[in-house]
C-alpha cells in the first residue's frame, strides 16, 4: 500500500453522477447540444481521471482510499472505501473507456428521440453505479453498485416505456436479477457470521489459512455457490439467463454498454475478486465451470436460428459470458478477465455496428429483410467484419488470444471442457458469419414503408429511413473505428502471457498447472483457428453459395428446428412452472384472501359499525330544550358523585 499517494478515486464515479443529476433535473429545459455536452464531458472526465490514476498508481498498486466511516456494530464495521489493484484497474479502464465511446455514439443514434435528456441521465447514472461496484474495497459497497446497476438497467431497458414489450423486458430483468441477488445476500450473511468482516483483504486473510474443502462440501463451498447464484443472475448464466435476450428491447447503445461491455461482466468480476474463497472450495469452482460450459454451448445453439440481428448478439453475449465462467471455474481467472476485456471491445463494436445497420435501414432488425448492405454502408460493414473475425477467434484478432487461452487452460483441467468449448467456438463462428452474410451479402430486400411512404422505425428512435440505406454520421462511425482498432490489436497484450503476468499480484499464476508442451499449445491454437474457419465456411455455403439449403435443412429437422427457433421453450416452461402459479396464487391469496376478505371486510365492517353507532347517537340531538337540560343535569350529577367518591377515597 502507498498511503501518501492521493488519487482521489472518488471523483471517478462522482463525475458521471454529476452528469446524471444535471441532465436529470435540468435536461428537459435544455437544448440537445447542452445535454450532449454534459453527458460527454462528465463521462469523458471520468475516463481521463481513470487514465491519470492508472499512470500514477501503476507501480504503487494495490491502493486503498477511505472516504468515510459507515457501519459500526460491535466488532463488525464497514467503511465506505475504494480499492485499486490490477484487477479493478482493468475493469475501471474498460468501463470508462468503452462507456465514453458509447456515450459519443449515442449522440448520433438517439438525437431524434424525445427522451434524449433522460437517456443521457440514465446512462451517466449507470456508469456511477458500475464504477462504484468496480472500485469497492468490500462486499457491501460492491453490493450498492450491484443493486444500482440493476436499477439503471431497468430504467434503460424499459426506456421506451410506452411500448409494452420494452416495459415488460425491464421488469423481467429486474425480477430475475433479484432472484440471483437473494443468493448473493445469503452468501454475504455467511461471510459476516463466520469471518466478521466484509472487507476483501480482511475476509481473504481469514480464509487463506483454511485448507481446501477436498473431502466434501463445507462453509466455503456454501458461500461460493451462493455467490455464484448472484453471478448467474447478473451475468445471465443458466438458469437465470432469460432476461438478457429480452433486454434487447432497449436502445442499441444500452445493449452495447450494459449487455456487452460492463454490467453483465459484473458477475465474472465478482467471482474473480472472490477467487481466494473459490480456490478453497473445489466443488463450488466445479459448479462455476459446469454452469459456464453448459451456458456457452446452450446459448450458442440458440443463436444459430435467430433472425433478429440484436437477438443473435444477445445469445452470443450469454455464450461468451459462459466462456468467462468456464475459465474461472478451471482456475484460469486471468484468462477469464482477459476475455472479459477483449469481449468488451468486439461485442461493444458488434452492438454499435448493428445499431448502425438498424439506423441505416429505418429501424428494421430482421436480417431476412436486409442483404447487400456492404455497398451502402461500407464503414459499418468493415468494422462489423473485424468484430466478427475477433469473436470467431481468427488470428490475429483480439478474440483469438483470449479464447485460445481459455481453451488451453480448460484442457489442462479436463478435455471435456475443451471439447465443448471447441464445439461452441465452431457454432459461434457459424452464426456470426451467418449474421454478416445475411446482412451484407446478396440483394437488398428493401425497407418496408407505410401508406405515406415513410420507413418504419422503432418507437422513440426517430425516422432514420430515407428511401435507401445510408451510412451513419461520423459521430457514430468514429467509436466504431476506435473499437475496431481495439478489436484488432487489443489481444496482443496477452502475447507471452503478458496479461497474466500483469494480474499475477492478484491471482498468482492465474491458471491451473500446465502439463503440455509449447508445441502442444501451438497445435491447439491451430485447431481452434481451423474450427473457426470451418464455421465461417459452412455459413458461406449455406447463406451465400447455396442460400436455398437452410430452408431445406429447417424442413428436414422440423421439430428440432422449431425448438431452437423458440429457444427450447424455456420461457414458456418458466411461465408454466413459476410465473403462472405465482400470479394465480397471488390473485387467490393476496387479492381474494387478504385484500378482499381481510382489508376490504375490515374497512367495510368498521364503516358499517360507525354508521350504526352514529344512528343511535344522533337521536340525542332531538331539538327539545327540556331534553337537553335533563341530560346536562344528569351529567352534572354524575360528575358531582364522582368527585364526592374521590374525596371519600382520599
Amino acid at each position: 500500500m502507498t498511503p501518501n499517494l492521493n488519487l482521489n478515486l472518488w471523483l471517478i464515479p462522482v463525475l458521471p453522477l454529476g452528469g446524471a443529476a444535471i441532465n436529470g433535473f435540468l435536461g428537459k429545459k435544455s437544448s440537445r447540444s447542452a445535454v450532449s455536452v454534459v453527458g460527454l464531458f462528465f463521462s469523458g472526465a471520468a475516463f481521463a481521471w481513470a487514465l491519470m490514476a492508472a499512470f500514477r498508481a501503476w507501480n504503487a498498486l494495490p491502493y486503498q482510499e477511505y472516504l468515510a466511516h459507515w457501519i459500526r456494530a460491535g466488532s463488525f464495521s464497514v467503511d465506505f472505501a475504494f480499492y485499486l489493484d490490477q484487477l479493478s484497474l482493468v475493469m475501471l479502464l474498460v468501463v470508462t473507456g468503452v462507456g465514453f465511446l458509447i456515450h459519443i455514439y449515442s449522440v448520433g443514434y438517439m438525437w431524434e428521440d424525445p427522451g434524449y435528456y433522460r437517456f443521457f441521465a440514465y446512462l451517466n447514472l449507470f456508469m456511477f453505479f458500475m464504477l462504484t461496484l468496480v472500485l469497492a474495497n468490500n462486499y457491501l459497497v460492491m453490493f450498492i453498485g450491484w443493486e444500482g446497476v440493476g436499477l439503471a438497467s431497468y430504467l434503460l431497458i424499459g426506456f421506451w416505456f410506452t411500448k409494452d414489450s420494452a416495459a415488460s423486458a425491464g421488469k423481467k430483468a429486474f425480477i430475475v436479477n433479484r432472484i440471483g441477488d437473494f443468493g448473493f445476500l445469503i452468501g454475504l450473511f455467511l461471510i459476516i457470521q463466520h469471518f466478521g468482516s466484509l472487507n476483501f483483504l480482511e475476509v481473504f486473510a481469514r480464509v487463506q489459512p483454511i485448507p481446501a474443502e477436498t473431502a466434501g462440501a463445507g462453509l466455503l463451498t456454501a458461500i461460493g455457490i451462493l455467490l455464484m447464484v448472484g453471478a448467474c443472475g447478473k451475468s445471465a448464466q443458466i438458469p437465470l439467463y432469460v432476461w438478457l435476450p429480452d433486454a434487447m428491447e432497449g436502445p442499441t447503445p444500452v445493449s452495447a454498454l450494459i449487455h456487452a461491455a460492463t454490467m453483465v461482466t459484473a458477475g465474472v468480476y465478482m467471482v474473480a475478486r472472490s477467487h481466494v474463497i473459490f480456490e478453497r472450495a473445489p466443488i463450488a469452482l466445479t459448479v462455476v465451470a459446469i454452469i459456464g460450459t453448459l451456458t456457452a454451448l446452450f446459448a450458442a445453439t440458440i443463436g444459430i436460428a435467430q433472425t433478429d440481428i440484436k437477438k443473435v448478439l444477445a445469445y452470443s453475449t450469454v455464450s461468451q459470458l459462459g466462456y468467462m465462467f468456464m475459465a474461472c471455474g478451471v482456475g484460469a481467472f486471468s484468462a477469464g478477465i482477459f476475455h472479459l476485456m477483449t469481449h468488451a471491445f468486439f461485442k461493444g463494436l458488434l452492438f454499435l455496428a448493428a445499431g448502425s445497420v438498424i439506423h441505416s435501414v429505418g429501424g428494421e432488425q430482421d436480417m431476412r429483410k436486409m442483404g447487400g448492405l456492404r455497398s451502402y454502408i461500407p464503414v459499418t460493414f468493415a468494422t462489423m467484419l473485424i468484430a466478427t473475425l475477433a469473436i470467431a477467434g481468427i488470428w490475429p484478432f483480439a478474440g483469438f488470444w483470449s479464447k485460445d487461452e481459455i481453451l488451453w487452460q480448460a484442457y489442462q483441467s479436463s478435455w471435456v471442457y475443451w471439447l465443448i468449448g471447441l464445439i461452441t467456438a465452431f457454432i459461434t463462428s457459424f452464426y456470426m458469419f451467418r449474421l454478416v452474410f445475411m446482412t451484407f451479402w446478396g440483394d437488398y430486400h428493401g425497407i418496408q414503408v407505410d401508406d405515406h411512404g415513410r420507413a418504419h422505425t422503432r418507437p422513440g428512435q426517430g425516422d432514420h429511413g430515407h428511401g435507401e440505406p445510408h451510412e451513419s454520421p461520423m459521430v457514430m462511425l468514429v467509436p466504431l473505428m476506435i473499437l475496431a482498432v481495439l478489436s484488432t490489436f487489443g489481444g496482443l497484450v496477452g502475447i507471452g502471457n503478458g496479461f497474466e503476468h500483469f494480474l499475477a499480484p492478484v491471482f498468482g499464476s492465474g491458471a491451473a498447472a500446465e502439463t503440455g508442451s509449447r508445441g502442444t499449445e501451438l497445435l491447439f491454437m491451430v485447431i481452434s483457428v481451423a474450427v473457426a474457419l470451418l464455421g465461417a465456411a459452412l455459413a458461406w455455403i449455406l447463406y451465400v453459395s447455396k442460400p436455398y439449403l437452410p430452408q431445406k435443412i429447417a424442413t428436414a429437422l422440423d421439430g428440432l428446428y422449431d425448438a431452437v427457433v423458440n429457444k427450447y421453450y424455456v420461457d414458456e416452461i418458466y411461465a408454466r412452472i413459476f410465473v403462472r402459479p405465482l400470479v394465480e396464487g397471488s390473485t387467490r391469496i393476496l387479492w381474494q384472501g387478504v385484500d378482499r376478505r381481510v382489508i376490504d371486510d375490515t374497512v367495510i365492517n368498521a364503516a358499517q359499525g360507525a354508521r350504526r353507532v352514529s344512528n343511535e347517537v344522533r337521536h340525542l340531538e332531538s331539538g327539545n330544550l327540556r331534553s337537553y337540560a335533563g341530560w346536562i343535569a344528569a351529567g352534572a350529577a354524575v360528575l358531582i358523585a364522582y368527585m364526592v367518591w374521590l374525596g371519600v377515597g382520599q
Side-chain angles (χ1 to χ4, degrees):
M1 301 289 180
T2 309
N4 295 327
L5 185 63
N6 186 13
L7 298 179
N8 291 316
L9 291 178
W10 61 273
L11 278 170
I12 299 175
V14 165
L15 283 166
L17 180 62
I22 293 172
N23 274 334
F25 290 113
L26 305 177
K28 190 172 184 178
K29 297 180 180 179
S30 304
S31 67
R32 277 174 163 71
S33 298
V35 170
S36 304
V37 169
V38 170
L40 295 184
F41 172 78
F42 284 98
S43 58
F47 177 49
W49 202 270
L51 286 174
M52 183 277 296
F55 178 77
R56 291 185 59 199
W58 190 265
N59 295 316
L61 297 174
Y63 166 82
Q64 284 201 86
E65 189 172 288
Y66 289 89
L67 304 176
H69 295 307
W70 188 9
I71 297 175
R72 294 289 185 271
S75 60
F76 176 73
S77 64
V78 178
D79 292 319
F80 206 99
F82 288 153
Y83 180 69
L84 188 68
D85 64 355
Q86 288 80 359
L87 174 59
S88 53
L89 180 59
V90 171
M91 292 293 296
L92 182 66
L93 293 176
V94 167
V95 172
T96 56
V98 177
F100 179 53
L101 291 176
I102 293 171
H103 274 71
I104 296 173
Y105 176 95
S106 299
V107 172
Y109 192 87
M110 299 296 294
W111 185 262
E112 298 176 19
D113 193 281
Y116 188 75
Y117 78 96
R118 187 165 51 89
F119 181 80
F120 274 93
Y122 292 167
L123 218 57
N124 280 178
L125 182 66
F126 170 83
M127 284 195 66
F128 162 71
F129 283 121
M130 189 68 200
L131 292 169
T132 300
L133 186 158
V134 165
L135 288 171
N137 92 322
N138 62 75
Y139 282 108
L140 193 54
V141 176
M142 173 188 273
F143 192 73
I144 290 175
W146 188 275
E147 292 299 294
V149 295
L151 170 63
S153 174
Y154 165 76
L155 295 172
L156 285 165
I157 293 169
F159 180 76
W160 290 318
F161 55 84
T162 56
K163 188 173 181 236
D164 287 342
S165 58
S168 298
K171 288 185 286 187
K172 185 175 183 179
F174 194 80
I175 293 169
V176 172
N177 271 274
R178 297 295 74 72
I179 297 171
D181 294 350
F182 179 75
F184 190 8
L185 269 176
I186 300 300
L188 297 189
F189 292 153
L190 286 177
I191 292 174
I192 294 171
Q193 180 182 6
H194 292 278
F195 302 112
S197 176
L198 288 175
N199 181 282
F200 294 142
L201 298 181
E202 293 177 8
V203 171
F204 299 156
R206 293 166 190 173
V207 169
Q208 205 105 34
I210 301 176
E213 296 175 345
T214 54
L219 171 65
L220 297 181
T221 300
I223 292 173
I225 291 176
L226 287 167
L227 294 181
M228 178 58 190
V229 171
C232 281
K234 198 65 73 185
S235 293
Q237 298 295 285
I238 291 174
L240 301 178
Y241 72 92
V242 291
W243 66 270
L244 193 145
D246 287 11
M248 297 303 108
E249 290 291 341
T252 300
V254 173
S255 304
L257 179 64
I258 294 181
H259 309 122
T262 54
M263 174 185 146
V264 291
T265 60
V268 180
Y269 171 72
M270 186 263 283
V271 170
R273 175 59 74 196
S274 307
H275 68 97
V276 175
I277 294 174
F278 282 95
E279 286 169 345
R280 283 153 184 77
I283 294 176
L285 210 56
T286 301
V287 170
V288 174
I290 291 174
I291 288 179
T293 305
L294 293 178
T295 301
L297 178 61
F298 181 79
T301 60
I302 296 177
I304 291 175
Q306 299 304 306
T307 54
D308 184 310
I309 189 170
K310 287 177 66 176
K311 284 288 179 71
V312 174
L313 298 180
Y315 282 104
S316 171
T317 298
V318 176
S319 181
Q320 296 303 305
L321 289 166
Y323 264 112
M324 299 174 207
F325 275 99
M326 179 171 68
C328 292
V330 300
F333 297 101
S334 296
I337 298 301
F338 187 20
H339 196 57
L340 183 156
M341 181 188 74
T342 60
H343 178 264
F345 299 153
F346 60 70
K347 185 56 64 64
L349 174 56
L350 282 168
F351 270 114
L352 295 187
S356 183
V357 171
I358 295 167
H359 178 277
S360 74
V361 293
E364 181 60 67
Q365 294 185 194
D366 191 333
M367 296 184 296
R368 295 170 296 184
K369 299 176 183 177
M370 298 179 187
L373 292 178
R374 69 184 190 277
S375 60
Y376 293 97
I377 47 175
V379 177
T380 299
F381 163 67
T383 55
M384 197 165 201
L385 181 60
I386 288 172
T388 301
L389 292 167
I391 192 175
I394 305 296
W395 184 88
F397 296 91
F400 161 79
W401 304 99
S402 56
K403 187 176 289 189
D404 176 74
E405 184 65 20
I406 290 175
L407 291 175
W408 174 244
Q409 297 296 347
Y411 180 75
Q412 307 299 314
S413 177
S414 170
W415 65 269
V416 176
Y417 295 143
W418 171 80
L419 181 60
I420 295 176
L422 195 67
I423 294 170
T424 303
F426 169 78
I427 298 173
T428 300
S429 178
F430 169 75
Y431 69 65
M432 285 308 307
F433 277 98
R434 168 182 176 266
L435 180 152
V436 169
F437 295 145
M438 288 182 70
T439 305
F440 295 102
W441 261 259
D443 298 323
Y444 176 57
H445 302 300
I447 302 174
Q448 288 185 322
V449 296
D450 59 21
D451 294 336
H452 303 286
R454 294 177 302 195
H456 289 305
T457 59
R458 293 181 63 80
Q461 187 175 310
D463 184 3
H464 296 306
H466 301 287
E468 66 176 23
H470 57 284
E471 190 62 274
S472 300
M474 286 303 296
V475 72
M476 293 172 61
L477 294 180
V478 169
L480 297 186
M481 297 173 187
I482 295 173
L483 286 171
V485 172
L486 292 172
S487 298
T488 303
F489 302 108
L492 298 180
V493 297
I495 293 179
N497 293 326
F499 194 78
E500 182 179 340
H501 293 324
F502 175 70
L503 292 177
V506 180
F507 300 125
S509 65
E514 296 189 9
T515 58
S517 64
R518 183 62 180 169
T520 306
E521 185 176 1
L522 289 173
L523 174 62
F524 276 63
M525 292 170 67
V526 172
I527 292 173
S528 66
V529 173
V531 164
L533 292 174
L534 281 174
L538 180 60
W540 174 270
I541 292 171
L542 293 180
Y543 293 95
V544 178
S545 178
K546 299 178 180 179
Y548 57 86
L549 279 180
Q551 184 58 48
K552 285 190 173 182
I553 294 172
T555 303
L557 294 176
D558 194 19
L560 178 59
Y561 178 78
D562 288 342
V564 174
V565 169
N566 290 285
K567 300 156 283 189
Y568 301 111
Y569 304 102
V570 172
D571 282 305
E572 290 79 1
I573 293 171
Y574 282 7
R576 177 70 62 86
I577 296 176
F578 300 111
V579 179
R580 200 172 301 160
L582 282 172
V583 172
E584 292 174 354
S586 63
T587 301
R588 283 197 309 271
I589 296 171
L590 294 179
W591 181 61
Q592 295 180 349
V594 178
D595 188 50
R596 290 185 59 185
R597 295 179 183 174
V598 177
I599 298 175
D600 285 356
D601 287 356
T602 300
V603 172
I604 292 170
N605 290 337
Q608 290 175 344
R611 185 180 296 112
R612 285 194 296 268
V613 171
S614 65
N615 284 335
E616 295 298 327
V617 172
R618 71 185 178 86
H619 292 300
L620 297 176
E621 298 186 10
S622 62
N624 191 320
L625 292 177
R626 286 184 297 175
S627 174
Y628 292 165
W631 282 112
I632 292 171
V638 171
L639 181 61
I640 292 169
Y642 172 74
M643 294 177 67
V644 170
W645 174 81
L646 189 64
V648 173
Q650 291 178 344

